[in-house]
Amino acid sequence: MKTSGGNLKLVLSYCILTGLTFLSLFPALWIILSSLKTGNSLYSETFIPREFTFGHYTDLFNKTKYPIWFFNTLKVAVLSTVFGTALLLISSYAISRFRFAGRKTSLKVMLVLQMFPGFMAMIAIFVMLNAMGLLNSHWALILVYSSGSIIANVFVAKGFFDTIPKSLEDAARIDGASHFKVFATVIVPLSTPMLTYASLMIFNGAFIDFIFADLILRTEEQRTLAVGLFKMVSQRNSTEFTMFAAGAVLVALPVTLLFLFLQRYLVDGLTAGANKG
Amino acid sequence: MQSKTIGAVLSLVLMGLGQLYNRQWGKGIVFVAAALVGIYLTVFQLYDHLHGLITLGEQPSGFVKVGKMMKMVEGDHSIFLLIKGLIALVAVLFFLCFYILNIRDAYLVGRLRDEGKSPATFRKSLAALGDKHFAYLVLLPPFIVITFLTILPLIFSILLAFTNFADPILPPANLVDWVGFDNFSKMLNLKVWSSTFVGILTWTLVWAVIATATTYVGGILIAVLIHQPRIRFKKFWRTALIVPFAIPNMISLLVMRNMFNNQFGPINGYLQYFGLKGLPWLTDPFWAKVTVILANMWIGIPITMILAFGVLTTIPRDLYEAADVDGAGARQKFRMITLPMVLFSTSPILIMNFAGNINNFNVIYLLTNGEPVNINYQFAGHTDLLVTWLYKLALNQSQFSFASVIGIVIFFIVASVSIWSYTRTRSYREEDMIQ
């Protein structure tokens, strides 16, 4: 089968793959190099800067409120993940396992809710919070992210629970375990892949979201990283490009590595999500 | 008379009485207490709230002449009245459901007594709640959260579409009124609104089709490319090409916005290096549209690629072996085996992606912010989608009622696409999820 045509095709394939790899990594490389560049402008004469500096990273911690933002972000993201995952787990488990009156209706309602543009509710919440003078609170963010995560992930989670054989629970129940005990000792350990996927998605969503956070958070002390970074470059004539680059690297690096590290779970989760409809 | 009838009637008169009659003291006392609070609130508060919801306020804030002095008087705040009225309605609805359940409970326990059995003690009832009604118990917290943080705000948004809550009519200085379908007819008939609406709707649909098609085809092609048997380091290529999906898209889009900068961005820099004139990536209407599509491909292709990879590994080897025996070439095998298998398994996500792209806020907002500005549009630019227009209308221009109209339009587009596609999938016919 080894013809010259076949080899040509192989070489061509490798060329295309190399090109695509370059394209897919280029923005990441560029922003990392920019963050190490001296000066603060977007413009650069060479791709690899002539002088390297970590100054922008130290500036980030000394001259901006980055550490406070970082703490705010962690607080919002961790609490949203905890509440969101807990609510998601129990609701999708109950919907998957129990046949109760109103089950199909709730599934339909959730499907309909998914079809509204997500932040239509957010804007309404903004108007409501504004009218009540409750803006600028992290708890508003946490509550909205947690409730949103149920609707966004319930079908994936339900689909996952549907695949766990019922006999496992029946066995535990014969041994006298209560519903809650069955849930905690049999179901939760079995659902690690889904749990990882869902909590990662919720965490990432809360970590990265800037629209709602930007709406709600009014003072610089309350800002999250995403809002802070967004403000750094979205203003016209912003001159702090390299500092933004440093901030972007610090935010994106952990999340990116986490995603790559947990690839397998993500692939499973995505596939499950795709099969639902 | 039978206990079940007496119990039910007593519970109808006052929640909990039937339970007391059935000698379920604990439950009865709790129910009576709840009933008294609920009825008190309903009688003394509901009328005001409903009145407010219907009139949306009668007295605007402003200066009123008191004697010889002008005095600032705080009037009705229409939005407050709307929210409170809604919350009151939901609360009453909950209370009514509870009331009906209470009557049913008294009836069932009464029937038990008629049959000569003794009713459950308070402790037993509580235990039964955790066992028989486990699903309800567990679903209560998510239910409350979703009701108040998603459903209530959505109803509120939808209601806004039927009011004139738009700059310059902003409370507390002005009162908002119900205007029925006025906003919808303005959107269709008033020239300034309708031309913007039609223009943006067209671009939204064009964008959704192109964005979905490019990422879908691109992802499948790349997956097939890597999946070729003779390609080595498959894991490396796959990981390298997943990177765009792993980087938070808020960051990568902000980065790209700088990369595509006409003057200082590296992309034009390289083009100039090769002697080409740079392109006006973000400032020309046509090229701005090209830019958002390219950026979306960069972000979206990895997802289809991952999915297509999943499908490719499940295609049975013997299909290809059989094709080899029949003397099929590589191209034929691809066309007759690989492609149909991949298309079959991944087509459901096409529709999901299409719906997702209609609402693809981030790509537009972060990359171009809807710009370049279109002077013929009402508060919108050339690359604005319906969602970003909605956002700008609500947050920057305080045109809340028009923003809500747009939200409802988006809902109808997405819903009809989803329902149309849903009725065509296997899961609709085979699974018991939605019927």
Side-chain angles (χ1 to χ4, degrees):
Chain A
M1 278 276 286
K2 283 206 173 165
T3 58
S4 62
N7 281 336
L8 185 71
K9 217 179 99 188
L10 196 65
V11 170
L12 200 68
S13 300
Y14 278 122
C15 287
I16 296 175
L17 282 176
T18 315
L20 288 172
T21 305
F22 176 73
L23 280 182
S24 90
L25 298 180
F26 181 76
L29 280 179
W30 183 66
I31 202 72
I32 292 174
L33 290 173
S34 297
S35 74
L36 296 170
K37 193 176 70 178
T38 49
N40 58 11
S41 77
L42 177 55
Y43 180 71
S44 165
E45 281 169 15
T46 51
F47 180 63
I48 296 170
R50 295 213 177 86
E51 289 173 70
F52 285 94
T53 169
F54 279 99
H56 305 302
Y57 288 91
T58 49
D59 279 357
L60 213 52
F61 284 89
N62 297 329
K63 291 187 185 162
T64 67
K65 299 217 158 61
Y66 202 85
I68 301 177
W69 297 345
F70 200 88
F71 175 75
N72 290 341
T73 311
L74 268 190
K75 175 182 153 195
V76 169
V78 168
L79 288 176
S80 308
T81 312
V82 171
F83 290 133
T85 315
L87 288 174
L88 172 72
L89 261 191
I90 51 176
S91 43
S92 48
Y93 174 68
I95 286 177
S96 159
R97 274 302 188 267
F98 296 91
R99 296 289 176 268
F100 51 90
R103 175 178 172 270
K104 280 176 182 169
T105 321
S106 16
L107 276 170
K108 271 185 209 159
V109 168
M110 279 194 269
L111 206 65
V112 171
L113 288 179
Q114 276 187 326
M115 291 167 193
F116 278 98
F119 54 77
M120 204 170 146
M122 283 190 179
I123 291 173
I125 292 174
F126 167 75
V127 175
M128 286 158 73
L129 289 176
N130 194 9
M132 294 180 221
L134 291 175
L135 287 180
N136 209 15
S137 114
H138 287 151
W139 280 103
L141 290 183
I142 294 169
L143 284 173
V144 170
Y145 294 152
S146 325
S147 81
S149 61
I150 306 174
I151 296 166
N153 293 306
V154 72
F155 287 98
V156 175
K158 176 197 167 280
F160 180 85
F161 283 130
D162 286 345
T163 63
I164 298 180
K166 223 174 165 181
S167 52
L168 284 174
E169 291 156 74
D170 292 340
R173 211 155 281 148
I174 288 169
D175 293 344
S178 67
H179 284 300
F180 187 77
K181 189 140 191 241
V182 172
F183 177 69
T185 58
V186 179
I187 298 301
V188 172
L190 279 175
S191 51
T192 327
M194 202 277 299
L195 212 61
T196 317
Y197 169 78
S199 47
L200 193 61
M201 283 295 165
I202 301 171
F203 185 85
N204 188 43
F207 201 76
I208 294 309
D209 175 68
F210 67 97
I211 311 169
F212 192 56
D214 190 22
L215 277 180
I216 298 296
L217 305 173
R218 300 276 118 180
T219 56
E220 215 181 336
E221 278 73 28
Q222 291 287 85
R223 269 182 204 163
T224 56
L225 282 177
V227 181
L229 281 179
F230 179 62
K231 296 255 159 157
M232 247 187 230
V233 282
S234 66
Q235 281 143 5
R236 289 235 166 270
N237 312 320
S238 66
T239 50
E240 295 295 341
F241 174 71
T242 41
M243 194 152 43
F244 159 76
V249 171
L250 282 190
V251 172
L253 207 60
V255 179
T256 309
L257 290 179
L258 199 66
F259 264 65
L260 290 177
F261 186 64
L262 297 172
Q263 236 186 79
R264 192 166 58 84
Y265 293 126
L266 291 174
V267 173
D268 291 349
L270 273 175
T271 331
N275 287 343
K276 80 164 190 218
Chain B
M1 213 170 355
Q2 285 176 309
S3 303
K4 60 182 180 187
T5 327
I6 301 175
V9 170
L10 279 174
S11 266
L12 180 66
V13 175
L14 180 69
M15 188 159 85
L17 277 191
Q19 279 73 13
L20 290 177
Y21 166 78
N22 284 333
R23 301 203 188 89
Q24 292 186 306
W25 307 114
K27 202 199 253 176
I29 290 167
V30 172
F31 278 20
V32 169
L36 292 179
V37 174
I39 290 170
Y40 173 82
L41 289 177
T42 309
V43 170
F44 289 97
Q45 307 256 326
L46 184 65
Y47 175 75
D48 282 346
H49 286 310
L50 280 185
H51 185 71
L53 186 59
I54 292 165
T55 61
L56 291 182
E58 288 158 336
Q59 168 74 47
S61 295
F63 290 97
V64 176
K65 208 168 177 182
V66 182
K68 282 185 177 172
M69 304 260 282
M70 290 296 271
K71 209 177 145 199
M72 178 72 187
V73 174
E74 216 171 293
D76 295 330
H77 192 298
S78 304
I79 296 309
F80 252 152
L81 291 176
L82 182 54
I83 297 168
K84 282 185 184 162
L86 258 182
I87 295 177
L89 265 187
V90 171
V92 168
L93 223 61
F94 278 170
F95 185 62
L96 277 182
C97 290
F98 193 44
Y99 214 112
I100 293 169
L101 285 177
N102 135 75
I103 298 170
R104 180 171 169 270
D105 176 69
Y107 177 83
L108 290 178
V109 175
R111 194 172 65 186
L112 217 63
R113 288 178 67 202
D114 292 337
E115 288 164 8
K117 292 169 198 155
S118 63
T121 61
F122 193 44
R123 188 168 301 157
K124 264 196 188 155
S125 310
L126 283 181
L129 194 66
D131 189 46
K132 252 175 81 185
H133 304 293
F134 182 74
Y136 291 113
L137 199 66
V138 145
L139 282 173
L140 197 64
F143 176 73
I144 292 173
V145 171
I146 290 180
T147 309
F148 282 97
L149 289 169
T150 309
I151 298 181
L152 203 76
L154 266 181
I155 298 175
F156 172 76
S157 285
I158 294 168
L159 288 181
L160 283 187
F162 302 96
T163 68
N164 57 1
F165 182 29
D167 194 30
I169 302 171
L170 297 176
N174 300 86
L175 289 176
V176 173
D177 277 314
W178 294 110
V179 294
F181 283 91
D182 265 18
N183 296 317
F184 292 86
S185 70
K186 272 185 196 159
M187 198 55 98
L188 291 176
N189 302 325
L190 219 64
K191 187 78 181 70
V192 274
W193 286 106
S194 66
S195 66
T196 317
F197 176 68
V198 172
I200 293 184
L201 179 66
T202 317
W203 161 237
T204 305
L205 294 176
V206 169
W207 147 264
V209 169
I210 297 180
T212 310
T214 48
T215 50
Y216 185 72
V217 173
I220 288 179
L221 285 183
I222 294 179
V224 170
L225 193 67
I226 299 178
H227 197 71
Q228 293 178 91
R230 289 169 68 198
I231 295 282
R232 300 191 58 198
F233 313 117
K234 286 196 169 65
K235 202 158 180 223
F236 166 76
W237 299 117
R238 204 173 81 161
T239 309
L241 292 169
I242 285 180
V243 167
F245 168 70
I247 300 176
N249 74 24
M250 180 235 163
I251 300 286
S252 47
L253 285 165
L254 283 177
V255 169
M256 282 201 208
R257 173 205 190 110
N258 287 300
M259 284 176 52
F260 281 108
N261 186 300
N262 299 351
Q263 267 177 298
F264 306 116
I267 292 184
N268 272 356
Y270 295 128
L271 289 178
Q272 274 153 14
Y273 181 79
F274 289 111
L276 295 163
K277 227 173 81 188
L279 286 167
W281 292 108
L282 296 172
T283 46
D284 176 78
F286 174 76
W287 286 107
K289 289 178 182 181
V290 173
T291 312
V292 287
I293 287 169
L294 286 177
N296 185 65
M297 281 172 77
W298 189 83
I299 291 173
I301 282 179
I303 302 173
T304 332
M305 186 191 80
I306 296 171
L307 292 172
F309 238 130
V311 180
L312 286 174
T313 46
T314 60
I315 300 178
R317 294 266 93 212
D318 44 342
L319 277 180
Y320 291 104
E321 279 158 22
D324 280 337
V325 172
D326 291 344
R331 187 163 301 171
Q332 242 178 328
K333 277 189 281 186
F334 175 73
R335 258 199 31 216
M336 308 306 280
I337 304 172
T338 315
L339 204 57
M341 291 291 263
V342 174
L343 288 182
F344 178 75
S345 312
T346 52
S347 57
I349 62 147
L350 259 184
I351 305 298
M352 276 170 57
N353 282 350
F354 182 79
N357 276 323
I358 286 180
N359 281 324
N360 203 332
F361 180 86
N362 277 16
V363 170
I364 304 292
Y365 185 76
L366 290 174
L367 208 59
T368 65
N369 193 17
E371 285 162 16
V373 174
N374 187 335
I375 46 162
N376 298 320
Y377 279 3
Q378 182 91 328
F379 312 122
H382 282 279
T383 52
D384 263 318
L385 301 179
L386 286 175
V387 253
T388 53
W389 192 35
L390 184 165
Y391 181 85
K392 286 180 177 176
L393 282 179
L395 273 312
N396 303 340
Q397 311 296 337
S398 300
Q399 300 287 327
F400 296 103
S401 53
F402 286 105
S404 298
V405 172
I406 302 294
I408 293 173
V409 170
I410 296 174
F411 168 76
F412 276 113
I413 297 174
V414 175
S416 46
V417 170
S418 308
I419 291 167
W420 175 80
S421 73
Y422 200 83
T423 50
R424 269 159 190 73
T425 55
R426 257 182 315 162
S427 44
Y428 176 73
R429 289 173 210 131
E430 290 170 10
E431 225 254 356
D432 67 332
M433 190 168 85
I434 297 284
Q435 262 149 37

